[in-house]
Amino acid sequence: MENPTLDDVARVFGGLALLPVAWVEPEDVSNAVLWLASEESRFVTGIAVPVDAGLLAKF
């Protein structure tokens, strides 16, 4: 496709993850980082937190 638009890409990417979104936004990653840095995650140790709309679980 010559000169694809954001909508063209979103249609393709939207089917990759488990959740019905084309991609995660930077704010989604920032919110995960803020949670990890907060007192709310004080007992969380040694894990990876994928902020990927379920992409990792699908494959």
Side-chain angles (χ1 to χ4, degrees):
M1 177 181 289
E2 193 171 323
N3 299 321
T5 66
L6 195 56
D7 289 333
D8 295 325
V9 174
R11 277 186 243 130
V12 174
F13 286 3
L16 294 177
L18 291 175
L19 298 178
V21 295
W23 47 75
V24 296
E25 299 293 335
E27 293 82 12
D28 300 318
V29 177
S30 296
N31 287 337
V33 171
L34 286 172
W35 175 73
L36 283 170
S38 76
E39 190 65 21
E40 296 296 318
S41 68
R42 68 185 179 270
F43 296 119
V44 176
T45 59
I47 64 162
V49 180
V51 182
D52 64 359
L55 182 69
L56 186 63
K58 190 169 180 180
F59 293 101

